[in-house]
mmCIF file of all heavy atoms in Angstrom:
data_model
loop_
_atom_site.group_PDB
_atom_site.id
_atom_site.type_symbol
_atom_site.label_atom_id
_atom_site.label_comp_id
_atom_site.label_asym_id
_atom_site.label_seq_id
_atom_site.Cartn_x
_atom_site.Cartn_y
_atom_site.Cartn_z
ATOM 1 N N MET A 1 -4.956 14.860 6.845
ATOM 2 C CA MET A 1 -5.776 13.793 7.252
ATOM 3 C C MET A 1 -5.482 12.604 6.319
ATOM 4 O O MET A 1 -5.594 12.699 5.155
ATOM 5 C CB MET A 1 -7.241 14.205 7.226
ATOM 6 C CG MET A 1 -8.201 13.053 7.496
ATOM 7 S SD MET A 1 -9.818 13.755 7.893
ATOM 8 C CE MET A 1 -10.855 12.931 6.828
ATOM 9 N N SER A 2 -5.172 11.416 6.939
ATOM 10 C CA SER A 2 -5.020 10.233 6.124
ATOM 11 C C SER A 2 -6.238 9.489 5.849
ATOM 12 O O SER A 2 -7.155 9.599 6.678
ATOM 13 C CB SER A 2 -3.917 9.391 6.756
ATOM 14 O OG SER A 2 -4.407 8.866 7.999
ATOM 15 N N ARG A 3 -6.280 8.763 4.848
ATOM 16 C CA ARG A 3 -7.479 7.975 4.534
ATOM 17 C C ARG A 3 -7.072 6.477 4.602
ATOM 18 O O ARG A 3 -6.005 6.081 4.262
ATOM 19 C CB ARG A 3 -7.992 8.246 3.113
ATOM 20 C CG ARG A 3 -8.633 9.607 3.030
ATOM 21 C CD ARG A 3 -9.304 9.758 1.764
ATOM 22 N NE ARG A 3 -8.301 10.388 0.810
ATOM 23 C CZ ARG A 3 -8.508 10.568 -0.490
ATOM 24 N NH1 ARG A 3 -9.590 10.089 -1.057
ATOM 25 N NH2 ARG A 3 -7.599 11.098 -1.211
ATOM 26 N N THR A 4 -8.021 5.699 5.001
ATOM 27 C CA THR A 4 -7.884 4.245 5.037
ATOM 28 C C THR A 4 -8.954 3.641 4.219
ATOM 29 O O THR A 4 -10.138 3.941 4.330
ATOM 30 C CB THR A 4 -7.978 3.734 6.505
ATOM 31 O OG1 THR A 4 -6.991 4.333 7.263
ATOM 32 C CG2 THR A 4 -7.867 2.254 6.500
ATOM 33 N N VAL A 5 -8.541 2.773 3.293
ATOM 34 C CA VAL A 5 -9.462 2.001 2.479
ATOM 35 C C VAL A 5 -9.343 0.541 2.822
ATOM 36 O O VAL A 5 -8.245 -0.044 2.885
ATOM 37 C CB VAL A 5 -9.196 2.216 1.034
ATOM 38 C CG1 VAL A 5 -10.140 1.240 0.167
ATOM 39 C CG2 VAL A 5 -9.332 3.615 0.604
ATOM 40 N N LEU A 6 -10.419 -0.083 3.166
ATOM 41 C CA LEU A 6 -10.496 -1.507 3.479
ATOM 42 C C LEU A 6 -11.279 -2.203 2.419
ATOM 43 O O LEU A 6 -12.495 -1.923 2.234
ATOM 44 C CB LEU A 6 -11.110 -1.698 4.887
ATOM 45 C CG LEU A 6 -11.204 -3.106 5.370
ATOM 46 C CD1 LEU A 6 -9.838 -3.696 5.568
ATOM 47 C CD2 LEU A 6 -12.014 -3.177 6.607
ATOM 48 N N LEU A 7 -10.612 -3.052 1.659
ATOM 49 C CA LEU A 7 -11.309 -3.869 0.621
ATOM 50 C C LEU A 7 -11.302 -5.248 0.984
ATOM 51 O O LEU A 7 -10.251 -5.939 1.201
ATOM 52 C CB LEU A 7 -10.446 -3.663 -0.676
ATOM 53 C CG LEU A 7 -10.959 -4.469 -1.899
ATOM 54 C CD1 LEU A 7 -12.333 -3.975 -2.273
ATOM 55 C CD2 LEU A 7 -9.972 -4.233 -3.033
ATOM 56 N N CYS A 8 -12.520 -5.773 1.212
ATOM 57 C CA CYS A 8 -12.680 -7.196 1.594
ATOM 58 C C CYS A 8 -13.335 -7.965 0.431
ATOM 59 O O CYS A 8 -14.291 -7.512 -0.148
ATOM 60 C CB CYS A 8 -13.609 -7.302 2.800
ATOM 61 S SG CYS A 8 -12.955 -6.530 4.202
ATOM 62 N N VAL A 9 -12.752 -9.066 0.140
ATOM 63 C CA VAL A 9 -13.270 -9.958 -0.845
ATOM 64 C C VAL A 9 -13.662 -11.246 -0.187
ATOM 65 O O VAL A 9 -12.797 -12.139 -0.041
ATOM 66 C CB VAL A 9 -12.331 -10.126 -2.101
ATOM 67 C CG1 VAL A 9 -13.009 -11.028 -3.125
ATOM 68 C CG2 VAL A 9 -11.891 -8.810 -2.675
ATOM 69 N N ASP A 10 -14.870 -11.341 0.244
ATOM 70 C CA ASP A 10 -15.314 -12.484 0.991
ATOM 71 C C ASP A 10 -15.553 -13.674 0.036
ATOM 72 O O ASP A 10 -16.304 -13.558 -0.898
ATOM 73 C CB ASP A 10 -16.565 -12.189 1.768
ATOM 74 C CG ASP A 10 -16.954 -13.270 2.729
ATOM 75 O OD1 ASP A 10 -16.164 -14.131 3.036
ATOM 76 O OD2 ASP A 10 -18.086 -13.199 3.271
ATOM 77 N N GLY A 11 -14.819 -14.737 0.246
ATOM 78 C CA GLY A 11 -14.937 -15.905 -0.597
ATOM 79 C C GLY A 11 -14.132 -15.824 -1.890
ATOM 80 O O GLY A 11 -14.166 -16.714 -2.723
ATOM 81 N N GLY A 12 -13.347 -14.759 -2.029
ATOM 82 C CA GLY A 12 -12.482 -14.616 -3.221
ATOM 83 C C GLY A 12 -11.216 -15.406 -3.041
ATOM 84 O O GLY A 12 -10.796 -15.724 -1.945
ATOM 85 N N ASP A 13 -10.606 -15.756 -4.155
ATOM 86 C CA ASP A 13 -9.360 -16.493 -4.136
ATOM 87 C C ASP A 13 -8.252 -15.488 -4.506
ATOM 88 O O ASP A 13 -8.221 -14.995 -5.627
ATOM 89 C CB ASP A 13 -9.445 -17.678 -5.162
ATOM 90 C CG ASP A 13 -8.227 -18.601 -5.030
ATOM 91 O OD1 ASP A 13 -7.114 -18.143 -4.698
ATOM 92 O OD2 ASP A 13 -8.403 -19.756 -5.333
ATOM 93 N N PHE A 14 -7.327 -15.253 -3.567
ATOM 94 C CA PHE A 14 -6.259 -14.293 -3.793
ATOM 95 C C PHE A 14 -5.384 -14.698 -4.980
ATOM 96 O O PHE A 14 -4.839 -13.811 -5.615
ATOM 97 C CB PHE A 14 -5.443 -14.042 -2.530
ATOM 98 C CG PHE A 14 -4.505 -12.912 -2.584
ATOM 99 C CD1 PHE A 14 -4.959 -11.643 -2.788
ATOM 100 C CD2 PHE A 14 -3.140 -13.087 -2.561
ATOM 101 C CE1 PHE A 14 -4.113 -10.528 -2.893
ATOM 102 C CE2 PHE A 14 -2.266 -12.097 -2.706
ATOM 103 C CZ PHE A 14 -2.772 -10.786 -2.825
ATOM 104 N N ARG A 15 -5.251 -15.973 -5.139
ATOM 105 C CA ARG A 15 -4.385 -16.447 -6.362
ATOM 106 C C ARG A 15 -4.976 -15.955 -7.646
ATOM 107 O O ARG A 15 -4.249 -15.541 -8.556
ATOM 108 C CB ARG A 15 -4.237 -17.955 -6.309
ATOM 109 C CG ARG A 15 -3.494 -18.444 -5.098
ATOM 110 C CD ARG A 15 -3.545 -19.950 -4.989
ATOM 111 N NE ARG A 15 -4.948 -20.290 -4.755
ATOM 112 C CZ ARG A 15 -5.409 -21.502 -4.606
ATOM 113 N NH1 ARG A 15 -4.629 -22.544 -4.652
ATOM 114 N NH2 ARG A 15 -6.687 -21.739 -4.328
ATOM 115 N N VAL A 16 -6.296 -15.973 -7.786
ATOM 116 C CA VAL A 16 -6.927 -15.461 -9.011
ATOM 117 C C VAL A 16 -6.629 -13.969 -9.135
ATOM 118 O O VAL A 16 -6.292 -13.510 -10.192
ATOM 119 C CB VAL A 16 -8.448 -15.806 -9.000
ATOM 120 C CG1 VAL A 16 -9.167 -15.135 -10.114
ATOM 121 C CG2 VAL A 16 -8.730 -17.277 -8.972
ATOM 122 N N ALA A 17 -6.807 -13.227 -8.064
ATOM 123 C CA ALA A 17 -6.558 -11.796 -8.138
ATOM 124 C C ALA A 17 -5.097 -11.558 -8.484
ATOM 125 O O ALA A 17 -4.782 -10.634 -9.259
ATOM 126 C CB ALA A 17 -6.932 -11.147 -6.800
ATOM 127 N N GLN A 18 -4.172 -12.271 -7.906
ATOM 128 C CA GLN A 18 -2.739 -12.131 -8.228
ATOM 129 C C GLN A 18 -2.481 -12.326 -9.754
ATOM 130 O O GLN A 18 -1.716 -11.551 -10.312
ATOM 131 C CB GLN A 18 -1.890 -13.060 -7.384
ATOM 132 C CG GLN A 18 -1.705 -12.653 -5.925
ATOM 133 C CD GLN A 18 -0.886 -13.655 -5.233
ATOM 134 O OE1 GLN A 18 -1.174 -14.873 -5.252
ATOM 135 N NE2 GLN A 18 0.068 -13.170 -4.458
ATOM 136 N N ASN A 19 -3.082 -13.351 -10.297
ATOM 137 C CA ASN A 19 -2.923 -13.621 -11.715
ATOM 138 C C ASN A 19 -3.463 -12.534 -12.580
ATOM 139 O O ASN A 19 -2.899 -12.083 -13.546
ATOM 140 C CB ASN A 19 -3.545 -14.978 -12.077
ATOM 141 C CG ASN A 19 -2.813 -16.127 -11.509
ATOM 142 O OD1 ASN A 19 -1.668 -16.051 -11.185
ATOM 143 N ND2 ASN A 19 -3.488 -17.293 -11.355
ATOM 144 N N LEU A 20 -4.658 -11.998 -12.189
ATOM 145 C CA LEU A 20 -5.226 -10.884 -12.933
ATOM 146 C C LEU A 20 -4.391 -9.618 -12.860
ATOM 147 O O LEU A 20 -4.205 -8.907 -13.822
ATOM 148 C CB LEU A 20 -6.657 -10.679 -12.457
ATOM 149 C CG LEU A 20 -7.695 -11.730 -12.824
ATOM 150 C CD1 LEU A 20 -8.991 -11.524 -12.067
ATOM 151 C CD2 LEU A 20 -7.948 -11.719 -14.334
ATOM 152 N N VAL A 21 -3.864 -9.368 -11.640
ATOM 153 C CA VAL A 21 -3.014 -8.219 -11.455
ATOM 154 C C VAL A 21 -1.774 -8.327 -12.306
ATOM 155 O O VAL A 21 -1.355 -7.344 -12.969
ATOM 156 C CB VAL A 21 -2.706 -8.048 -9.916
ATOM 157 C CG1 VAL A 21 -1.559 -7.038 -9.768
ATOM 158 C CG2 VAL A 21 -3.947 -7.562 -9.209
ATOM 159 N N ALA A 22 -1.161 -9.485 -12.271
ATOM 160 C CA ALA A 22 0.072 -9.750 -12.958
ATOM 161 C C ALA A 22 -0.103 -9.612 -14.526
ATOM 162 O O ALA A 22 0.782 -9.165 -15.210
ATOM 163 C CB ALA A 22 0.626 -11.129 -12.649
ATOM 164 N N SER A 23 -1.262 -9.940 -15.013
ATOM 165 C CA SER A 23 -1.543 -9.860 -16.458
ATOM 166 C C SER A 23 -2.024 -8.466 -16.842
ATOM 167 O O SER A 23 -2.239 -8.237 -18.061
ATOM 168 C CB SER A 23 -2.628 -10.880 -16.851
ATOM 169 O OG SER A 23 -3.849 -10.540 -16.302
ATOM 170 N N GLY A 24 -2.129 -7.544 -15.909
ATOM 171 C CA GLY A 24 -2.475 -6.156 -16.197
ATOM 172 C C GLY A 24 -3.969 -5.907 -16.219
ATOM 173 O O GLY A 24 -4.460 -4.903 -16.605
ATOM 174 N N GLY A 25 -4.751 -6.947 -15.795
ATOM 175 C CA GLY A 25 -6.210 -6.892 -15.792
ATOM 176 C C GLY A 25 -6.845 -6.028 -14.661
ATOM 177 O O GLY A 25 -7.981 -5.747 -14.783
ATOM 178 N N MET A 26 -6.026 -5.734 -13.724
ATOM 179 C CA MET A 26 -6.636 -4.995 -12.510
ATOM 180 C C MET A 26 -5.643 -3.939 -12.072
ATOM 181 O O MET A 26 -5.030 -4.035 -11.021
ATOM 182 C CB MET A 26 -6.924 -6.012 -11.393
ATOM 183 C CG MET A 26 -7.930 -7.084 -11.718
ATOM 184 S SD MET A 26 -8.114 -8.357 -10.446
ATOM 185 C CE MET A 26 -8.909 -7.420 -9.178
ATOM 186 N N PRO A 27 -5.483 -2.889 -12.864
ATOM 187 C CA PRO A 27 -4.502 -1.831 -12.526
ATOM 188 C C PRO A 27 -4.710 -1.152 -11.234
ATOM 189 O O PRO A 27 -3.810 -0.796 -10.512
ATOM 190 C CB PRO A 27 -4.475 -0.876 -13.729
ATOM 191 C CG PRO A 27 -5.844 -1.109 -14.377
ATOM 192 C CD PRO A 27 -6.157 -2.581 -14.116
ATOM 193 N N VAL A 28 -5.952 -0.822 -10.842
ATOM 194 C CA VAL A 28 -6.229 -0.119 -9.636
ATOM 195 C C VAL A 28 -5.901 -1.019 -8.450
ATOM 196 O O VAL A 28 -5.322 -0.614 -7.439
ATOM 197 C CB VAL A 28 -7.680 0.328 -9.600
ATOM 198 C CG1 VAL A 28 -8.029 0.939 -8.232
ATOM 199 C CG2 VAL A 28 -7.990 1.324 -10.733
ATOM 200 N N THR A 29 -6.281 -2.287 -8.553
ATOM 201 C CA THR A 29 -5.945 -3.258 -7.476
ATOM 202 C C THR A 29 -4.473 -3.404 -7.307
ATOM 203 O O THR A 29 -3.921 -3.510 -6.244
ATOM 204 C CB THR A 29 -6.606 -4.640 -7.767
ATOM 205 O OG1 THR A 29 -8.031 -4.417 -7.888
ATOM 206 C CG2 THR A 29 -6.305 -5.599 -6.664
ATOM 207 N N LYS A 30 -3.718 -3.428 -8.479
ATOM 208 C CA LYS A 30 -2.320 -3.506 -8.404
ATOM 209 C C LYS A 30 -1.665 -2.329 -7.598
ATOM 210 O O LYS A 30 -0.818 -2.505 -6.790
ATOM 211 C CB LYS A 30 -1.699 -3.504 -9.849
ATOM 212 C CG LYS A 30 -0.202 -3.561 -9.855
ATOM 213 C CD LYS A 30 0.334 -3.524 -11.227
ATOM 214 C CE LYS A 30 1.845 -3.621 -11.210
ATOM 215 N NZ LYS A 30 2.445 -3.593 -12.520
ATOM 216 N N ARG A 31 -2.220 -1.108 -7.896
ATOM 217 C CA ARG A 31 -1.675 0.061 -7.202
ATOM 218 C C ARG A 31 -2.014 -0.024 -5.708
ATOM 219 O O ARG A 31 -1.172 0.297 -4.868
ATOM 220 C CB ARG A 31 -2.226 1.289 -7.761
ATOM 221 C CG ARG A 31 -1.480 2.562 -7.364
ATOM 222 C CD ARG A 31 -1.888 3.785 -8.128
ATOM 223 N NE ARG A 31 -3.138 4.304 -7.489
ATOM 224 C CZ ARG A 31 -4.201 4.666 -8.158
ATOM 225 N NH1 ARG A 31 -4.209 4.651 -9.511
ATOM 226 N NH2 ARG A 31 -5.227 5.157 -7.566
ATOM 227 N N LEU A 32 -3.213 -0.551 -5.325
ATOM 228 C CA LEU A 32 -3.542 -0.707 -3.900
ATOM 229 C C LEU A 32 -2.649 -1.697 -3.270
ATOM 230 O O LEU A 32 -2.226 -1.460 -2.110
ATOM 231 C CB LEU A 32 -5.043 -1.099 -3.805
ATOM 232 C CG LEU A 32 -6.042 -0.104 -4.101
ATOM 233 C CD1 LEU A 32 -7.510 -0.730 -4.172
ATOM 234 C CD2 LEU A 32 -6.080 1.035 -3.121
ATOM 235 N N LEU A 33 -2.389 -2.861 -3.956
ATOM 236 C CA LEU A 33 -1.501 -3.788 -3.345
ATOM 237 C C LEU A 33 -0.063 -3.296 -3.209
ATOM 238 O O LEU A 33 0.606 -3.590 -2.196
ATOM 239 C CB LEU A 33 -1.462 -5.051 -4.265
ATOM 240 C CG LEU A 33 -2.744 -5.908 -4.279
ATOM 241 C CD1 LEU A 33 -2.698 -6.916 -5.344
ATOM 242 C CD2 LEU A 33 -2.966 -6.543 -2.929
ATOM 243 N N GLU A 34 0.389 -2.456 -4.081
ATOM 244 C CA GLU A 34 1.730 -1.882 -4.051
ATOM 245 C C GLU A 34 1.863 -0.879 -2.881
ATOM 246 O O GLU A 34 2.904 -0.787 -2.252
ATOM 247 C CB GLU A 34 2.154 -1.209 -5.359
ATOM 248 C CG GLU A 34 2.332 -2.192 -6.477
ATOM 249 C CD GLU A 34 2.472 -1.454 -7.758
ATOM 250 O OE1 GLU A 34 2.251 -0.252 -7.952
ATOM 251 O OE2 GLU A 34 2.868 -2.134 -8.751
ATOM 252 N N GLN A 35 0.770 -0.185 -2.538
ATOM 253 C CA GLN A 35 0.781 0.830 -1.556
ATOM 254 C C GLN A 35 0.348 0.400 -0.165
ATOM 255 O O GLN A 35 0.535 1.102 0.836
ATOM 256 C CB GLN A 35 -0.016 2.043 -2.019
ATOM 257 C CG GLN A 35 0.448 2.725 -3.191
ATOM 258 C CD GLN A 35 -0.458 3.821 -3.715
ATOM 259 O OE1 GLN A 35 -1.528 4.122 -3.116
ATOM 260 N NE2 GLN A 35 -0.111 4.465 -4.786
ATOM 261 N N GLY A 36 -0.288 -0.724 -0.103
ATOM 262 C CA GLY A 36 -0.901 -1.199 1.168
ATOM 263 C C GLY A 36 -0.411 -2.509 1.631
ATOM 264 O O GLY A 36 0.782 -2.882 1.392
ATOM 265 N N SER A 37 -1.235 -3.172 2.324
ATOM 266 C CA SER A 37 -0.809 -4.524 2.838
ATOM 267 C C SER A 37 -2.016 -5.485 2.651
ATOM 268 O O SER A 37 -3.181 -5.026 2.417
ATOM 269 C CB SER A 37 -0.472 -4.423 4.299
ATOM 270 O OG SER A 37 -1.568 -3.964 5.094
ATOM 271 N N VAL A 38 -1.738 -6.730 2.723
ATOM 272 C CA VAL A 38 -2.713 -7.751 2.536
ATOM 273 C C VAL A 38 -2.784 -8.697 3.747
ATOM 274 O O VAL A 38 -1.765 -9.052 4.290
ATOM 275 C CB VAL A 38 -2.334 -8.613 1.264
ATOM 276 C CG1 VAL A 38 -3.339 -9.729 1.086
ATOM 277 C CG2 VAL A 38 -2.259 -7.739 0.028
ATOM 278 N N VAL A 39 -4.008 -8.980 4.160
ATOM 279 C CA VAL A 39 -4.224 -9.884 5.258
ATOM 280 C C VAL A 39 -5.117 -11.046 4.753
ATOM 281 O O VAL A 39 -6.165 -10.780 4.182
ATOM 282 C CB VAL A 39 -4.908 -9.209 6.440
ATOM 283 C CG1 VAL A 39 -5.178 -10.231 7.556
ATOM 284 C CG2 VAL A 39 -4.047 -8.051 6.961
ATOM 285 N N HIS A 40 -4.617 -12.226 4.921
ATOM 286 C CA HIS A 40 -5.465 -13.417 4.490
ATOM 287 C C HIS A 40 -6.122 -13.987 5.732
ATOM 288 O O HIS A 40 -5.516 -14.225 6.720
ATOM 289 C CB HIS A 40 -4.546 -14.487 3.913
ATOM 290 C CG HIS A 40 -3.868 -14.038 2.708
ATOM 291 N ND1 HIS A 40 -4.388 -14.116 1.452
ATOM 292 C CD2 HIS A 40 -2.598 -13.518 2.499
ATOM 293 C CE1 HIS A 40 -3.508 -13.640 0.558
ATOM 294 N NE2 HIS A 40 -2.403 -13.261 1.222
ATOM 295 N N MET A 41 -7.489 -14.113 5.624
ATOM 296 C CA MET A 41 -8.281 -14.758 6.640
ATOM 297 C C MET A 41 -8.817 -16.031 6.110
ATOM 298 O O MET A 41 -9.430 -16.040 5.027
ATOM 299 C CB MET A 41 -9.351 -13.831 7.210
ATOM 300 C CG MET A 41 -8.865 -12.699 8.021
ATOM 301 S SD MET A 41 -10.261 -11.715 8.664
ATOM 302 C CE MET A 41 -11.237 -12.904 9.547
#
């Protein structure tokens, strides 16, 4: 059975998250981004 995780950041700025991921500040988010996909609304 596969699992799906949907992470929504309403009002968040993806550029801020990208900078934090790149600096090593969000390792779990980095792994999710590497294994999943991103949709910008």
Side-chain angles (χ1 to χ4, degrees):
M1 175 164 129
S2 64
R3 289 189 267 169
T4 301
V5 175
L6 179 65
L7 176 64
C8 298
V9 182
D10 190 13
D13 189 329
F14 189 65
R15 294 171 295 180
V16 172
Q18 283 178 311
N19 290 337
L20 289 169
V21 167
S23 69
M26 299 173 70
V28 174
T29 304
K30 178 181 180 180
R31 197 171 80 226
L32 289 170
L33 289 169
E34 291 170 348
Q35 295 175 0
S37 61
V38 176
V39 176
H40 299 274
M41 286 183 58

